[in-house]
Amino acid sequence: MKCQMCDIWKNPTQKEKEITIDEIKKLPNVKFINITGGEPFVREDLEEIIEVCFQKSPRVVISTSGWFEDRIIKMAKRFPNIGIRISIEGLALKNDELRGRQGGFDKGLRTLLTLKDMGVKDIGFGITVSNHNSADMLSLYQLSKSLGMEFATAAFHNSYYFHKGDNFITNKEEVCGNFEKLITMQLQEKHPKSWFRAYFNMGLINYIQDNKRLLPCEAGLVNFFVDPYGEVYPCNGLEEKHWKESMGNIRQTNSFEEIWKSSQANRVREQVKNCPKNCWMVGTAAPVMKKYIKQPMSWVMRNKWNVMRGKPVAFEFNK
């Protein structure tokens, strides 16, 4: 793809320098693994990577554009418990415009429908909301709901590995207004999972409005990110203009434990506490939502009750 919100396609990794299967085997057992890109399915050894990942975690999800239909279907046949999130940035015209390839929406949707017919359960859409597609977000949500699929959201942001520094939402009123509509619809659902997604989406509004996080960031403590060259970072949202420091490299150690318990890792965790970015991404938000469950639970219960009585949602931001 040639996405507008990310320049990875202009800066591909060097294949001969990427971490190997044996190096990936050094990773610890965890609750959840997300394989992201660029496009993970360009790696010829992705099936071998997934095999290792399932030895490390009961749940493995791949984020993909859905372009490589045959490779995705082949993967799902080998690993029927695999999770697939297809990144779709809007309905057909908007998605193909933002992702820079004609036919991307059709391929993505067709892949999801095929996976559903195969009986794969952990499937759904993922949208990165920008200045241009928040209205389409609502249509995609309704489509995913009608298909019985998951629906994940993110607000576009900057990161060292995106090779972008100009991702800023400028039409905040429109975007936040559409997020508010999404939140209300999610609270009207019957499933508690959707209610907590509503809380997560309120956190995205809070982020778009340049407020402090609703919950503390514990990146590097409850989650970590490994780049294609083996560097272990607290998250994937670091920017060199703010700070960017590795906890260690899995190539340079005998075990992941050596990195995780090192003085360098502790140093990075201290920097996380003072990170100025206030990101709100599912990888760093979901673990602390579970850890500090009282705050999300209280908000969810109050606003589920409001919606049931036909009253407006009470939005709470951390200004």
Side-chain angles (χ1 to χ4, degrees), residues 46-318:
L46 185 59
E47 284 194 29
E48 288 76 14
I49 292 173
I50 298 303
E51 185 174 12
V52 172
C53 287
F54 269 118
Q55 295 169 9
K56 304 289 183 179
S57 176
R59 183 168 181 241
V60 181
V61 175
I62 306 175
S63 299
T64 172
S65 67
W67 188 266
F68 296 106
E69 298 174 68
D70 293 342
R71 299 180 195 180
I72 297 170
I73 301 308
K74 182 172 179 283
M75 180 75 75
K77 287 179 178 177
R78 181 174 174 183
F79 303 100
N81 292 329
I82 193 73
I84 300 290
R85 291 295 178 277
I86 293 189
S87 299
I88 295 180
E89 308 309 330
L91 300 179
L93 288 176
K94 183 58 65 178
N95 175 80
D96 293 358
E97 172 194 340
L98 294 178
R99 289 203 157 255
R101 292 291 297 272
Q102 292 297 311
F105 178 87
D106 293 351
K107 279 178 171 282
L109 181 58
R110 185 165 54 234
T111 300
L112 282 172
L113 293 174
T114 302
L115 291 170
K116 183 179 181 182
D117 287 343
M118 291 169 58
V120 180
K121 304 295 185 184
D122 195 355
I123 55 175
F125 300 84
I127 182 172
T128 299
V129 178
S130 64
N131 294 314
H132 313 290
N133 63 350
S134 64
D136 277 20
M137 169 184 68
L138 300 176
S139 300
L140 283 179
Y141 162 74
Q142 292 172 312
L143 178 59
S144 68
K145 186 179 175 183
S146 68
L147 294 172
M149 296 181 184
E150 301 289 324
F151 185 70
T153 51
F156 86 155
H157 56 280
N158 300 301
S159 166
Y160 80 95
Y161 87 107
F162 286 174
H163 304 276
K164 287 274 283 186
D166 58 354
N167 283 336
F168 299 104
I169 290 177
T170 54
N171 56 337
K172 294 181 181 182
E173 184 174 348
E174 177 186 354
V175 172
C176 292
N178 284 322
F179 266 117
E180 289 178 5
K181 292 176 184 176
L182 175 63
I183 288 166
T184 300
M185 288 190 286
Q186 288 175 321
L187 286 168
Q188 289 169 341
E189 289 193 42
K190 297 179 180 179
H191 306 292
K193 191 173 183 179
S194 297
W195 309 342
F196 284 94
R197 283 192 177 130
Y199 179 88
F200 172 79
N201 285 321
M202 184 176 69
L204 287 178
I205 297 176
N206 185 71
Y207 167 71
I208 292 167
Q209 292 178 342
D210 300 316
N211 296 325
K212 294 180 180 179
R213 284 172 59 106
L214 297 180
L215 296 169
C217 182
E218 295 189 353
L221 186 65
V222 296
N223 60 274
F224 61 91
F225 171 71
V226 183
D227 82 358
Y229 306 120
E231 296 291 343
V232 180
Y233 293 106
C235 72
N236 60 353
L238 299 180
E239 290 183 81
E240 290 177 338
K241 72 178 183 179
H242 297 296
W243 71 281
K244 172 177 170 263
E245 195 164 342
S246 170
M247 302 168 80
N249 192 301
I250 61 173
R251 288 182 155 154
Q252 298 165 0
T253 184
N254 293 320
S255 73
F256 186 84
E257 200 79 359
E258 291 179 14
I259 295 174
W260 199 244
K261 294 184 176 180
S262 68
S263 58
Q264 174 62 16
N266 288 331
R267 169 185 161 84
V268 169
R269 291 182 187 114
E270 287 301 312
Q271 288 181 278
V272 169
K273 292 179 183 179
N274 300 306
C275 182
K277 292 197 64 177
N278 291 311
C279 299
W280 188 259
M281 298 180 286
V282 69
T284 54
V288 291
M289 283 176 60
K290 293 174 183 176
K291 184 174 179 179
Y292 303 103
I293 188 62
K294 286 185 179 180
Q295 183 171 322
M297 177 71 78
S298 175
W299 182 87
V300 163
M301 298 308 293
R302 288 197 310 274
N303 285 286
K304 179 62 179 175
W305 180 239
N306 282 346
V307 167
M308 289 173 64
R309 293 183 298 162
K311 292 188 174 182
V313 175
F315 293 98
E316 300 173 6
F317 304 118
N318 193 10

Side-chain angles (χ1 to χ4, degrees), residues 8-25:
I8 293 178
W9 56 279
K10 295 179 182 178
N11 299 270
T13 52
Q14 294 174 271
K15 181 178 176 181
E16 66 278 5
K17 294 183 179 180
E18 292 177 339
I19 49 177
T20 65
I21 297 296
D22 285 339
E23 289 161 343
I24 292 172
K25 288 179 180 178

